[in-house]
Amino acid sequence: MQTPTIAGLSAAEVALRRAQGRANVVAHVSSRSAWEIVRSNVLTRFNAIIGVLLVAGLVFGAPQDALFGLVIVVNSAVGIVQELRAKRSLDALALLDAAPVTVRRDDVEVDVPAEDVVLGDLVVLWPRAKIPVDGEVAVAVGLEVDESLLTGEADPVDKRPGEPVLSGSFATVGHGEYVATAVGEQAYANRLVAQVKRFDLTHSQLMAGIDQILRGIQWVIVPVGALLVVSQLRSTRTLPQAVVGSVAGIVPMIPEGLVLMTSVAFAVGVVRLGRRRCLVQEMPAVEVLARVDTLCVDKTGTLTEPMLEVTAVEPVDEQADATVRTVLAALLAADPHPNATMEAIRGYAGSAPRAEGWRPTTAVPFSSARKFSAAVFEGQGGWILGAPDVILPTGDSVRSRAEVAAAQGLRVLALARLADGEVPAEHPPDDARAVAFLTLRQRLRPNAAETLRYLGHEGVTVKVFSGDNAASVGAIAAVLGLPGADSPLDARQLPDDPHELADVLSTSSVFGRVTPQQKRGFVDALRARGHLVAMTGDGVNYALALKNADLGIAMGSGSPATRATAKIVLLDDDFGALPHVLAEGRRVLANIERVAGLFLVKTTYSVVLALLVGVAHLPFPLLPRHVTLVGSLTIGIPGFFLALAPNTQRFRPGFVRRVLRVAVPAGLACGLATFTAYGLAVHANPSDLSANRSAATLALFLTAVCALALVARPFNVWRLSLVAGVIVAFVLVAVVPFAAGFFALTFSNLQVDAYAVLAAAPAAALMVIVDQWGRSRSRGESPPPPWVPAPRDRAAASGVAAPSTGGNAPLPSAGPRRTINSGDARTTRGQ
């Protein structure tokens, strides 16, 4: 391609190249489409099972017997609303990046959308201008480019004519022009995006466990359901009665309340995190961070802020101390386009009073190529500010002191007076006399050290991957107290073999000069060793690693590709939000496990009832509305409140095993008690099916309340009130005529009602015995069952603070405090 003149392309050339498809057009997808979100939340195994039963209930039964179908709407709506909310936030962030691009066409500078840039366009760069396409520099006047989003290296790169620039970077100092050599899908940033476009759902062990239970239930439903249908056809007079009885027996086999409660618990966690400016794109991502054991972070943007800060200014003598601030302020005023280093100095010297007569006659702005800036002021002489090893002669005492500071990972500048009062062009003079030296470093995130301590206390190992110099990265990590920061490694010297690399990663924590491809390889190596890895990042250079990690976490100010790839976006770039994400995930995990057994009790007793009724050839003892009433009062509603209570228990594998250990004995007791009460009622009063079913409902309610009480322990005021409220609600349904008629309850036969109480009593006793046996085993070698609260839970429930030894670390404070009321405790966070 022939390089265009400095006048740029003509309008005809631009139109031709656009027609040829050589424009910067890319089909960017910041998130899943609305249709994909709706489809993934509606077309589920759970909804398919419930949907078939709902249709059968509506066709052959009363509307009250189809109330269970509402769970499809609610469960799907929770997921759809949450993901659409995340999509809107991401799309809004993408729009913020759609800044216009200045190009020169027909020798006139015009602003055009980024997608209108064509191959061969002459793009004009000014400080802070983003580089939308790849190109070759044509004109450069002190031009420096920040490529940290691509390489991870924080220092800007000096650009001269003929050198390449890459999309995803941006100009920081000076100005220039470059010719676009790669646009659209061929641009560097877009090639990286293409490797991470495929959407992958976050793997949730909790949801996988529930799905595993659903698959098992499917195998149970087919034979038991067939047996129940045959039995109902033989024991009832009409087809509608047989279908309604079959639906009543099959519906409770499906733990629809568990799926709904899990979605609601995730959604509440997402809303809570949203208040902390933490965008969760997929609800299961909250859970994944709670299980993470290794967190990989970058330095710039995560542990540190993008800007620099002056850490110390050391004058050579006391007389010089009075003039340092004034000289620095004057040098700042003489630089029309200060870079990040000069902006940091402004924070130190910007408020210094300007001395009369500090008017520059000549000035040289700072650049990374010269490594100094200088100016001559009328009546005040010449001054130079730059790297000590560049502007000071060998053997200078200030230069020696600066070398010691530089070895600690600090950026060092020297301020010196020019003896001859003339501004150097490209090379500093040999007779500059040092006045002071300054040390700078990237500004640390205010809560980074506290966050690292918290994560370490919670068993999460932190690895730092950066494109910067290893010594500099190690110095920052050491200041923050990261274990292993005293031995940083240069990634260029690491082995390529994945097994050898994994050995190094397991023993070291800080790595510098890491390339984007290495970051992805590091994540893969850690995962191959069985670690659950989360990755944070802001630039395009982290997109590949975020894609391969178990959980990607992006900064809100990062590149669109990184935000679209990540499952969690920290909108305020606040690294201190991660402990709250972890705590929220643990609350969800621990509480869902605690009440999941309660939801599966219904599955167990429905299978028991279906088998017993099928063998005995009796009409099913419950109507679908009875199942809905008892399930809502003893499982759904109280389970919702228990699931939202505070809980900081760490994740433990074996979710399905522990849940079934709770559900099977309690479900057996409930099923046997219900069938026994129903059988006794049918024997004593065979002609009154309504009264007999009411007695069976009463027996089921009493045993289910016992199971709820065991799960809700240890009791405090609100938990006792919860159990008491459930009992009062059932009594009101039973005595209020409209409610009793709606739910088809008739408690007019004291004899059959007494059978219900007599059948429920031994079943409740059996559950208590099993509970005590579980407690005794928990004191031995076996882990405690979910219905046995951990010591920390007992302390929280009783309002007494848990001991600090062996407990979880308190959440780091971040931002303004607010008191969050979550059931049985009030937690004050971040004052």
Side-chain angles (χ1 to χ4, degrees):
M1 183 189 69
Q2 187 175 8
T3 303
T5 66
I6 205 68
L9 298 177
S10 66
E13 289 175 313
V14 171
L16 176 62
R17 298 185 187 203
R18 186 177 295 117
Q20 293 173 341
R22 294 193 287 175
N24 188 43
V25 177
V26 182
H28 284 301
V29 179
S30 63
S31 55
R32 287 198 291 177
S33 67
W35 164 243
E36 289 174 327
I37 291 173
V38 172
R39 183 178 58 187
S40 64
N41 283 278
V42 173
L43 303 181
T44 65
R45 177 184 289 107
F46 163 75
N47 286 350
I49 298 172
I50 293 293
V52 172
L53 297 173
L54 174 63
V55 173
L58 288 173
V59 172
F60 295 100
Q64 299 96 308
D65 292 324
L67 291 175
F68 64 87
L70 292 175
V71 73
I72 296 178
V73 179
V74 178
N75 191 39
S76 300
V78 169
I80 291 171
V81 169
Q82 165 54 28
E83 291 199 42
L84 287 177
R85 171 179 169 271
K87 173 181 171 59
R88 285 196 301 271
S89 298
L90 271 182
D91 292 345
L93 287 173
L95 288 175
L96 294 178
D97 290 290
V101 179
T102 302
V103 296
R104 179 173 291 123
R105 294 172 178 172
D106 292 322
D107 206 18
V108 177
E109 292 184 5
V110 293
D111 290 337
V112 300
E115 59 268 21
D116 283 354
V117 177
V118 300
L119 196 67
D121 249 330
L122 190 67
V123 182
V124 181
L125 295 179
W126 297 95
R128 299 179 181 85
K130 293 185 178 181
I131 297 176
V133 297
D134 299 353
E136 182 178 297
V137 177
V139 178
V141 180
L143 179 64
E144 295 183 12
V145 173
D146 187 326
E147 297 181 343
S148 61
L149 292 179
L150 303 175
T151 64
E153 187 171 351
D155 292 334
V157 180
D158 182 67
K159 293 295 182 180
R160 298 178 181 274
E163 294 183 346
V165 290
L166 298 176
S167 53
S169 55
F170 59 93
T172 57
V173 177
H175 61 89
E177 300 167 358
Y178 76 94
V179 178
T181 58
V183 298
E185 302 288 354
Q186 301 304 314
Y188 177 78
N190 293 329
R191 292 202 306 271
L192 282 179
V193 172
Q195 299 182 52
V196 298
K197 269 187 177 180
R198 183 174 54 86
F199 183 87
D200 290 324
L201 284 171
T202 303
H203 175 69
S204 165
Q205 283 195 8
L206 185 63
M207 300 303 292
I210 294 174
D211 196 55
Q212 179 182 351
I213 292 171
L214 286 176
R215 288 197 302 269
I217 291 172
Q218 280 182 305
W219 289 101
V220 174
I221 287 177
V222 174
V224 175
L227 174 64
L228 183 62
V229 170
V230 172
S231 171
Q232 294 306 292
L233 289 173
R234 295 180 58 183
S235 60
T236 57
R237 299 176 181 178
T238 64
L239 178 63
Q241 289 180 340
V243 172
V244 170
S246 300
V247 170
I250 296 174
V251 166
M253 295 183 192
I254 307 166
E256 78 277 7
L258 175 58
V259 179
L260 174 58
M261 185 273 295
T262 302
S263 298
V264 171
F266 275 138
V268 171
V270 167
V271 171
R272 286 175 173 172
L273 292 173
R275 293 171 182 164
R276 294 186 175 275
R277 301 283 295 158
C278 180
L279 173 64
V280 181
Q281 299 200 60
E282 293 180 43
M283 291 191 291
V286 178
E287 170 211 334
V288 176
L289 186 57
R291 297 189 285 109
V292 160
D293 59 44
T294 304
L295 175 64
C296 304
V297 303
D298 63 335
K299 176 180 71 70
T300 306
T302 300
L303 301 180
T304 63
E305 296 179 354
M307 63 283 290
L308 297 169
E309 64 179 351
V310 177
T311 58
V313 176
E314 298 189 22
V316 173
D317 53 52
E318 295 182 0
Q319 183 178 3
D321 187 18
T323 61
V324 169
R325 282 180 181 264
T326 302
V327 175
L328 290 175
L331 286 172
L332 275 167
D335 191 343
H337 302 292
N339 64 357
T341 302
M342 298 301 288
E343 288 290 355
I345 295 174
R346 186 190 304 278
Y348 167 78
S351 60
R354 299 285 173 83
E356 290 289 338
W358 284 84
R359 188 175 62 185
T361 56
T362 55
V364 175
F366 188 91
S367 77
S368 57
R370 286 187 296 267
K371 298 188 184 302
F372 69 83
S373 63
V376 174
F377 300 95
E378 186 177 313
Q380 303 293 343
W383 297 83
I384 187 170
L385 176 69
D389 59 328
V390 174
I391 69 172
L392 299 179
T394 303
D396 188 285
S397 60
V398 172
R399 180 169 174 173
S400 301
R401 292 160 61 189
E403 289 174 353
V404 174
Q408 300 174 355
L410 297 173
R411 184 172 299 182
V412 184
L413 294 176
L415 176 65
R417 180 186 289 273
L418 298 174
D420 56 7
E422 294 185 2
V423 173
E426 293 295 329
H427 303 285
D430 297 329
D431 56 354
R433 182 169 57 86
V435 174
F437 81 93
L438 300 77
T439 57
L440 302 91
R441 70 179 180 193
Q442 285 186 296
R443 185 179 300 173
L444 301 179
R445 295 281 182 189
N447 48 16
E450 194 176 4
T451 300
L452 290 177
R453 284 195 300 271
Y454 174 85
L455 293 173
H457 191 282
E458 294 299 304
V460 179
T461 302
V462 178
K463 308 284 185 183
V464 181
F465 303 155
S466 175
D468 279 355
N469 176 271
S472 175
V473 180
I476 293 292
V479 172
L480 296 174
L482 181 69
D486 55 344
S487 55
L489 297 180
D490 191 318
R492 294 171 295 186
Q493 302 173 1
L494 296 181
D496 295 328
D497 181 75
H499 298 288
E500 296 179 7
L501 178 61
D503 292 336
V504 175
L505 290 170
S506 64
T507 57
S508 301
S509 300
V510 180
F511 303 86
R513 300 302 184 197
V514 185
T515 66
Q517 289 72 24
Q518 281 183 310
K519 292 169 185 176
R520 178 171 58 174
F522 288 3
V523 169
D524 292 341
L526 288 168
R527 294 187 67 197
R529 285 293 174 91
H531 294 286
L532 197 74
V533 181
M535 183 82 196
T536 70
D538 56 355
V540 176
N541 62 312
Y542 278 90
L544 297 175
L546 263 65
K547 182 68 175 179
N548 283 26
D550 295 285
L551 180 66
I553 305 170
M555 300 297 166
S557 63
S559 69
T562 307
R563 295 197 301 259
T565 303
K567 305 304 181 186
I568 294 178
V569 181
L570 306 180
L571 297 178
D572 290 337
D573 297 356
D574 185 7
F575 180 56
L578 287 186
H580 298 281
V581 179
L582 186 147
E584 200 61 48
R586 287 183 172 176
R587 182 194 62 78
V588 171
L589 277 175
N591 283 338
I592 290 177
E593 180 174 318
R594 186 175 186 183
V595 299
L598 188 61
F599 284 88
L600 293 178
V601 165
K602 185 171 64 171
T603 298
T604 305
Y605 71 62
S606 65
V607 172
V608 171
L609 281 175
L611 289 173
L612 294 175
V613 168
V615 172
H617 297 299
L618 292 173
F620 198 77
L622 304 168
L623 291 173
R625 70 193 78 175
H626 295 154
V627 174
T628 301
L629 173 65
V630 175
S632 299
L633 290 181
T634 63
I635 299 175
I637 296 173
F640 174 81
F641 288 104
L642 290 174
L644 300 183
N647 200 324
T648 56
Q649 180 180 338
R650 291 184 182 180
F651 169 76
R652 297 178 299 158
F655 165 76
V656 175
R657 173 179 52 83
R658 289 193 300 272
V659 166
L660 293 180
R661 193 181 351 169
V662 177
V664 172
L668 282 171
C670 292
L672 290 173
T674 304
F675 184 78
T676 300
Y678 181 63
L680 292 174
V682 169
H683 182 268
N685 187 24
S687 61
D688 194 348
L689 182 59
S690 177
N692 297 339
R693 280 178 165 166
S694 298
T697 303
L698 177 60
L700 178 60
F701 173 78
L702 293 175
T703 50
V705 163
C706 180
L708 170 62
L710 292 177
V711 169
R713 291 189 302 172
F715 290 122
N716 58 10
V717 173
W718 82 264
R719 284 177 175 159
L720 279 173
S721 301
L722 180 65
V723 176
V726 165
I727 297 173
V728 170
F730 185 82
V731 172
L732 289 175
V733 171
V735 300
V736 175
F738 171 78
F742 183 86
F743 286 102
L745 293 177
T746 304
F747 296 109
S748 57
N749 191 321
L750 295 180
Q751 181 181 7
V752 297
D753 296 341
Y755 288 150
V757 176
L758 292 175
L766 175 63
M767 279 189 276
V768 173
I769 292 172
V770 172
D771 176 65
Q772 293 301 321
W773 174 76
R775 284 175 176 271
S776 64
R777 289 201 62 188
S778 69
R779 299 188 187 101
E781 72 283 354
S782 301
W787 67 81
V788 181
R792 183 175 178 84
D793 294 327
R794 291 197 290 269
S798 60
V800 180
S804 58
T805 57
N808 293 341
L811 287 175
S813 59
R817 279 189 190 259
R818 59 169 168 264
T819 301
I820 303 174
N821 187 4
S822 299
D824 61 349
R826 288 182 178 267
T827 305
T828 306
R829 297 177 180 173
Q831 190 87 307

